[in-house]
Amino acid sequence: MLTYILKRIVYALPIMLGVAFVCFLLVHMAPGDPIVSVLPPDATNELRLQMMALYGFDRPYYEQFFRWLGRALTGDLGSSIRTSRPVVLEVTKAVANTLTLAMLATFIGFLFGSLFGFVAGYFRNTWVDKTASLISVLGVSVPHYWLGMVLVIIFAAQLGWLPPTGAGPGGSEAWKWNWVHVQHLILPAITMSVIPMGIISRTVRALVAEILSQEFVTGLRAKGLGEWGVFKHVVKNAAPTALAVMGIQLGYLLGGSILIETVFAWPGTGLLLNDAIFQRDLPVLQGTILVLAIFFVVLNLLVDLLQTALDPRVQRS
């Protein structure tokens, strides 16, 4: 097991290096001048060149990459062009908010997705299966930003039950674990959970249907094992794949929440990326993408190890 863990970690290192290179390359290939946002309209070309030299944008791309990578390895992601604050502070705060939102959304999606999937798998080809499958398809098909706006109109504007935007009262970005702040988390978390719920539900439904059709289940029932005992065997066999799908969905939610966080003005990485893109803030853009990519790689590594612990056959294969 230890050898397998070390092997997986070694495999992840070149992936992280490749992610850093692609992140740097894509950001610098995008059109636009990153210095425009901090220069006055009547700025001279001399002042522009001085600012380019200050941020190191006048150097060759390969030199910029290795300098940025070297600083990133020490935890220094540079300073924001727009606010002059360290990118690490901006990203850390945003990642914490997005992680809170994504974990709750993944939990909701996994809970209801597994429920619908198990029900549909056990009662396959019945109206229960068709209803659960319909809900799953709607969850995958409905645009989540549109759903977010609908939920805001119904529960915030019309009913007044929940706040529409922000992470706290008065548009505050400071998150605290109390009911006042949790209310701001409910609508974006439900909106974000719809897609993983649909994906997990369809995956679990297929797994359960396949497991129930296998010979060992027939053998267990022939030996007199009750349905609860059979259910536990089904859960044990379906858990590794379901957890792997859940881990992947959590990774996607960490990096793919731009539209939802923009709709709800949630101060996470999505909103930070949105602002950095429009304001051409390259240090913030590079730092945020790099941190999210590393999160995704590490999360997949943890899911692989957890899957191996639950099902040793993965390690042998």
Side-chain angles (χ1 to χ4, degrees), residues 62-146:
Y62 71 89
E63 188 175 342
Q64 292 186 47
F65 171 70
F66 284 111
R67 290 186 62 189
W68 172 69
L69 182 61
R71 291 198 304 266
L73 292 175
T74 64
D76 180 12
L77 297 176
S79 300
S80 169
I81 297 176
R82 179 174 56 93
T83 64
S84 299
R85 295 184 59 194
V87 174
V88 172
L89 297 181
E90 300 271 1
V91 174
T92 301
K93 183 179 179 181
V95 166
N97 290 332
T98 295
L99 192 59
T100 302
L101 178 60
M103 289 184 68
L104 179 59
T106 305
F107 174 76
I108 295 173
F110 183 76
L111 179 64
F112 287 96
S114 299
L115 176 62
F116 292 148
F118 271 105
V119 170
Y122 263 92
F123 299 96
R124 56 191 182 280
N125 301 324
T126 64
W127 68 269
V128 177
D129 179 17
K130 294 178 181 179
T131 303
S133 299
L134 176 62
I135 295 174
S136 302
V137 172
L138 288 176
V140 177
S141 305
V142 172
H144 51 284
Y145 59 87
W146 174 83

Side-chain angles (χ1 to χ4, degrees), residues 227-241:
E227 284 301 318
W228 176 246
V230 173
F231 175 77
K232 288 191 291 185
H233 279 276
V234 172
V235 170
K236 185 177 180 180
N237 282 270
T241 304

Side-chain angles (χ1 to χ4, degrees), residues 177-260:
W177 282 105
N178 55 48
W179 175 240
V180 176
H181 288 78
V182 169
Q183 291 181 80
H184 289 77
L185 187 63
I186 294 176
L187 289 182
I190 292 175
T191 305
M192 190 180 284
S193 69
V194 170
I195 291 180
M197 180 192 69
I199 294 175
I200 293 172
S201 176
R202 296 174 68 180
T203 302
V204 172
R205 190 264 180 202
L207 285 171
V208 172
E210 180 184 358
I211 294 170
L212 288 175
S213 64
Q214 292 181 4
E215 294 181 357
F216 83 91
V217 174
T218 305
L220 291 174
R221 286 172 172 164
K223 291 181 178 180
L225 187 65
E227 284 301 318
W228 176 246
V230 173
F231 175 77
K232 288 191 291 185
H233 279 276
V234 172
V235 170
K236 185 177 180 180
N237 282 270
T241 304
L243 288 174
V245 174
M246 183 188 73
I248 293 173
Q249 291 305 308
L250 177 58
Y252 285 148
L253 293 182
L254 285 173
S257 57
I258 294 180
L259 293 177
I260 293 179

